[in-house]
Amino acid sequence: MENQSLNISQVLHKLEPGCLLLTPNSRLRRRLMQHFAKSHSTDQGVCPSPAIFAFNQWCEENWLQLQDRGWPQARGILLSAAQRENLWQQLLQRSEAQQQLICPELLAGQADSAWATLQQWQLGQDALRQYQQHDGSLLADWADQFSQLCQRLGFISQEQMLQRLQCAFAEGELTQANKILLLEFDDIPPLTLALLQAAGTELERISLCHQAAPKTHLVAAESAEQEIQLAAQWAKQHLAQATAELPRIGIIDPLLGQRRERLERLFTQTFEPQYFLPDTERYTLPFNFSAGLPLAQCPLVDTALQLLKLNHQQLECERFCQLLHSPYWHNNHQL
């Protein structure tokens, strides 16, 4: 499989009938779909969606198709990440070495990750035991127990799903693609590669052309708040200077989870200062965050939690006033 460097338009141009394009994540797929929609926005009539999928999405859709058909090997419950970790925790709690484990909860995730990697590279328990190391033998024993537990409960792991999808393509239960384009894939584990080879008559690896790195500038700020304000003003200035298509600007904050509220407030003051006016109707702001809010901080859920606290003997005056003015539990116009 040769690796070609193409731009997005060239990548989409290679999508011929019967061709499938796979990406390693959903973010890259959304970028391609947005570019496709923009390039076909002036066309007349209806344009069919291109066959572009994130790899995990493509696997799950094929799996659901097999389950809808009642394929015998697809009978079972596909394990989620949380269910897998819970099963590993149960195994470690029942293990003879449990008393020697410092943090079984953390080890459960690590054991699952190690076992998944071995499965992806098609290495079984024997590969662990041949080195005659205690840790390897212990993980091999746990892996045996994990496989037996999944079989007894009717669970199917992600790696088992890939193996069975490979069999489905080989047996003709799923239709092969004429060509599969693999965009921006790095190292492809043997298990994934075997599935792709069974799913397509031809595989082709491609990558996107990347522009040369621009010059960087260091700007000193007196405080964290001023730093955020400077970043917001810089982004707004670049958007104002755009002549045709608005650029996509990304701002990276390593402490995003800790100061998301401050970032949102300062960016709103820079881009949409009228948003804070009481008579302004709510609307979507022209920026978004990759980190979400904790559920308890969402206004609707926060109001519900505050209502549940009304049976307390004491309640802060500020929180009580916020509850009175909340629009989520009464008609705010009747106050």
Side-chain angles (χ1 to χ4, degrees), residues 51-66:
I52 303 176
F53 299 93
F55 177 74
N56 289 336
Q57 174 196 10
W58 173 73
C59 291
E60 291 174 2
E61 291 200 6
N62 280 303
W63 184 254
L64 290 175
Q65 186 177 347
L66 291 174

Side-chain angles (χ1 to χ4, degrees), residues 10-27:
Q10 292 172 328
V11 170
L12 295 176
H13 185 70
K14 291 179 70 69
L15 270 176
E16 302 172 352
C19 184
L20 172 67
L21 175 60
L22 297 179
T23 64
N25 53 61
S26 298
R27 184 182 295 272

Side-chain angles (χ1 to χ4, degrees), residues 180-197:
I180 299 180
L181 301 174
L182 305 173
L183 180 62
E184 295 290 348
F185 278 81
D186 295 326
D187 294 332
I188 303 178
L191 179 59
T192 302
L193 182 60
L195 168 59
L196 293 172
Q197 290 174 338

Side-chain angles (χ1 to χ4, degrees), residues 27-179:
R27 184 182 295 272
L28 181 55
R29 177 187 178 272
R30 286 195 299 268
R31 182 182 173 189
L32 293 170
M33 295 298 290
Q34 289 172 357
H35 193 280
F36 176 85
K38 189 177 298 183
S39 61
H40 291 75
S41 59
T42 58
D43 293 349
Q44 299 295 327
V46 178
C47 181
S49 298
I52 303 176
F53 299 93
F55 177 74
N56 289 336
Q57 174 196 10
W58 173 73
C59 291
E60 291 174 2
E61 291 200 6
N62 280 303
W63 184 254
L64 290 175
Q65 186 177 347
L66 291 174
Q67 288 187 322
D68 289 340
R69 295 179 182 178
W71 193 52
Q73 295 190 47
R75 296 173 183 171
I77 302 173
L78 189 62
L79 278 173
S80 66
Q83 290 171 328
R84 287 179 65 137
E85 187 169 349
N86 182 265
L87 288 180
W88 278 100
Q89 289 179 3
Q90 293 181 32
L91 290 177
L92 297 184
Q93 289 172 358
R94 296 197 298 261
S95 172
E96 296 179 356
Q98 192 271 340
Q99 296 180 350
Q100 303 176 5
L101 301 178
I102 299 176
C103 185
E105 294 78 10
L106 179 62
L107 183 59
Q110 295 174 342
D112 180 50
S113 177
W115 178 238
T117 302
L118 289 170
Q119 291 287 290
Q120 280 283 355
W121 291 90
Q122 297 180 334
L123 299 172
Q125 291 90 320
D126 295 338
L128 293 173
R129 293 191 175 97
Q130 68 179 356
Y131 295 104
Q132 299 181 351
Q133 294 181 350
H134 176 69
D135 292 345
S137 299
L138 192 59
L139 178 59
D141 293 339
W142 289 342
D144 286 334
Q145 298 174 30
F146 178 77
S147 300
Q148 294 170 5
L149 183 60
C150 288
Q151 184 176 5
R152 179 165 56 87
L153 298 176
F155 289 146
I156 299 174
S157 67
Q158 190 77 13
E159 294 72 35
Q160 288 176 322
M161 179 190 70
L162 299 182
Q163 294 171 353
R164 298 184 186 190
L165 284 177
Q166 178 186 351
C167 294
F169 279 108
E171 295 174 5
E173 290 291 335
L174 294 172
T175 305
Q176 281 188 327
N178 295 335
K179 178 187 286 189

